[in-house]
């Protein structure tokens, strides 16, 4: 089966599912998008890897994995989303050490967070795109992202925060938001930091 390369189009906060985020992957050879709903921690980790200006005072789990792998000369060559069953996406890390390749099973959200840190390409099979891919116009970017067939079941949902700060942030000045962003990062409140960053991005 042929592979399709994906890029990360963005992350949105779910207005219908508390504590959930939609990771939107884009097929680089077509207009199809692959939406995957992920948990708050994974969304924060991916957002931090995308936004270089957010520097956690201590390493996140995925940063620790990267440091550990670098120390022992293990690299991630690519990530493949290889299966979709009952709304769950299954992924593999293709790793290499001393010229030998190993395939490691991983949750898709973790695999993508690591792919960003290793600058590794992300692929999926075209039959998965045919099954779960959607076409989104600018007007309905969030319309069908959270449908049940596109969900990735997440772990530890009880630990996810359920409060939306959208209305709070929308009335603040950009300077105030930047101050709050610095404080959230220093406090290691990365979920709040991600939401503040989203509000600042909307204004730029």
């Amino acid at each position: 089966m042929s592979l399709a390369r994906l890029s990360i189009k963005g992350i949105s906060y779910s207005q219908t599912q508390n504590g959930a985020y939609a990771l939107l992957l884009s097929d680089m050879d077509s207009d199809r998008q692959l939406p995957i709903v992920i948990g708050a921690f994974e969304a924060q980790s991916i957002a931090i890897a995308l936004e270089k200006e957010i520097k956690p005072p201590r390493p996140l789990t995925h940063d620790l994995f990267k440091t550990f792998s670098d120390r022992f000369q293990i690299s991630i060559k690519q990530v493949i989303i290889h299966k979709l069953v009952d709304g769950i996406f299954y992924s593999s890390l293709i790793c290499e050490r001393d010229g030998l390749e190993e395939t490691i099973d991983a949750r898709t959200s973790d695999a993508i967070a690591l792919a960003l840190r290793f600058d590794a390409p992300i692929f999926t099979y075209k039959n998965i795109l045919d099954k779960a891919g959607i076409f989104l116009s600018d007007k309905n970017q969030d319309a069908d992202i959270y449908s049940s067939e596109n969900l990735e079941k997440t772990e530890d949902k009880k630990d996810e925060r359920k409060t939306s700060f959208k209305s709070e942030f929308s009335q603040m000045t950009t300077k105030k938001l930047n101050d709050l962003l610095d404080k959230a990062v220093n406090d290691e409140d990365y979920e709040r930091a991600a939401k503040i960053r989203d509000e600042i991005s909307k204004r730029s």
Side-chain angles (χ1 to χ4, degrees):
M1 291 183 288
S2 57
L3 288 170
R5 185 165 180 178
L6 304 171
S7 62
I8 298 176
K9 189 173 182 65
I11 302 174
S12 299
Y13 183 72
S14 172
Q15 301 302 315
T16 59
Q17 297 185 37
N18 287 332
Y21 290 76
L23 172 65
L24 194 61
L25 304 176
S26 178
D27 178 14
M28 296 179 70
D29 295 324
S30 74
D31 294 328
R32 285 184 295 186
Q33 318 290 327
L34 188 66
I36 303 172
V37 173
I38 61 176
F41 172 77
E42 293 79 10
Q44 295 160 26
S45 183
I46 291 170
I48 286 171
L50 289 170
E51 301 291 338
K52 306 299 184 184
E53 66 268 20
I54 298 179
K55 300 292 184 183
R58 294 186 298 174
L60 301 181
T61 303
H62 298 113
D63 297 321
L64 177 60
F65 186 98
K66 175 67 164 62
T67 302
F68 179 89
S69 299
D70 288 345
R71 186 67 55 90
F72 291 96
Q73 299 180 326
I74 301 168
S75 62
I76 294 177
K77 309 303 292 184
Q78 61 183 3
V79 165
I80 300 177
I81 303 171
H82 62 83
K83 188 167 62 173
L84 174 61
V85 178
D86 296 331
I88 303 174
F89 291 91
Y90 293 81
S91 295
S92 297
L93 304 173
I94 311 301
C95 305
E96 183 181 76
R97 182 172 185 266
D98 295 334
L100 298 176
E101 280 194 358
E102 294 284 348
T103 300
I104 299 175
D105 181 48
R107 294 192 307 172
T108 298
S109 51
D110 289 327
I112 291 172
L114 291 172
L116 286 170
R117 288 161 170 79
F118 283 86
D119 293 321
I122 303 165
F123 296 94
T124 192
Y125 290 108
K126 290 190 175 179
N127 67 318
I128 293 179
L129 272 177
D130 292 338
K131 183 177 180 181
I134 60 176
F135 293 90
L136 291 179
S137 66
D138 291 338
K139 294 182 180 180
N140 63 354
Q141 283 287 333
D142 298 319
D144 299 312
I145 290 177
Y146 308 104
S147 57
S148 60
E149 64 269 22
N150 292 322
L151 298 184
E152 177 190 0
K153 293 182 180 178
T154 58
E155 298 175 4
D156 299 327
K157 286 190 175 180
K158 64 181 180 180
D159 293 330
E160 294 173 0
R161 300 191 175 198
K162 298 182 181 295
T163 305
S164 172
F165 299 97
K166 183 178 178 181
S167 59
E168 173 191 354
F169 294 149
S170 62
Q171 301 176 23
M172 293 183 179
T173 65
T174 302
K175 182 180 184 304
K176 176 66 173 177
L177 288 172
N178 281 308
D179 291 341
L180 284 176
L181 178 61
D182 291 339
K183 183 178 187 305
V185 172
N186 288 333
D187 292 343
E188 301 184 26
D189 189 349
Y190 301 118
E191 180 178 355
R192 185 176 173 86
K195 292 173 185 175
I196 297 171
R197 176 193 55 79
D198 288 344
E199 180 64 32
I200 293 173
S201 298
K202 290 179 186 176
R203 304 183 184 188
S204 58

